[in-house]
Amino acid sequence: MIATSILAGSLLLALGCGAEPSATVTAADPSRPVSQATSVPGGPSEPAGHSVAPRSEPTSGAPKPTKPEGHTDNPRKVRWLKAKPSKDGRSLRITWWSGVEPCNVLDRVTVRETSKRVTVTLWEGPSSKAQNVACIEIAIQKVTTVKLKKPLGARKVVDGSR
């Protein structure tokens, strides 16, 4: 009797929550736009017709300006993409790929200057202020500006995370 009730309940749950197999497509299907995708390989599935929540990150393609916050748990070195010197050479604009906050927060930037090179290291980690949060796994570009003790001149800029 109990087994029959469990089986019937499971069947009703499966019928109520499932989508038709023909309604599931993948983002890799070139015949369908990504906005119509209901299943991503290796990711969660959604029934057809559901929409994705709007993004709160900048969508203009411009990197998100970021300042070091200094309150992360277990910060790690992060590779950056490019370092663009200011016109006067007294600062560098560092651009890198990151995740969303509070799961990916810029903790600090260390700069080591010698006569031949400038080594810039970015440190990121999850915010120690946020507890029990879930972050979407999406890559966004971030940018931060660091000041140099001396103008860059002919010195080489090196990524300290490598």
Side-chain angles (χ1 to χ4, degrees):
M1 180 72 162
I2 294 176
T4 306
S5 298
I6 291 173
L7 181 60
S10 298
L11 181 60
L12 285 174
L13 182 63
L15 290 173
C17 295
E20 295 180 19
S22 62
T24 302
V25 296
T26 65
D29 183 354
S31 67
R32 305 281 300 267
V34 174
S35 62
Q36 293 179 350
T38 57
S39 176
V40 176
S45 298
E46 289 183 359
H50 283 218
S51 61
V52 177
R55 292 176 42 183
S56 61
E57 300 84 34
T59 56
S60 65
K64 179 183 179 205
T66 307
K67 292 185 178 182
E69 296 186 20
H71 57 79
T72 65
D73 291 330
N74 301 316
R76 68 195 180 290
K77 294 178 182 180
V78 178
R79 288 185 173 185
W80 45 263
L81 298 172
K82 60 184 172 182
K84 183 179 178 184
S86 61
K87 289 182 182 181
D88 64 4
R90 295 186 180 276
S91 64
L92 295 170
R93 183 176 159 96
I94 309 294
T95 305
W96 75 101
W97 284 107
S98 182
V100 296
E101 296 175 6
C103 295
N104 293 278
V105 175
L106 182 61
D107 183 81
R108 66 188 181 274
V109 180
T110 56
V111 180
R112 197 172 123 242
E113 297 184 49
T114 67
S115 61
K116 295 186 180 194
R117 68 173 52 182
V118 175
T119 304
V120 179
T121 308
L122 302 178
W123 297 83
E124 277 192 343
S127 174
S128 59
K129 294 180 181 179
Q131 299 295 321
N132 299 321
V133 297
C135 294
I136 60 173
E137 290 188 19
I138 186 170
I140 59 172
Q141 273 194 3
K142 294 181 182 178
V143 64
T144 194
T145 301
V146 295
K147 294 183 180 182
L148 302 176
K149 293 177 183 175
K150 296 179 182 179
L152 182 61
R155 296 184 292 173
K156 182 178 179 179
V157 181
V158 178
D159 186 343
S161 71
R162 295 178 186 228

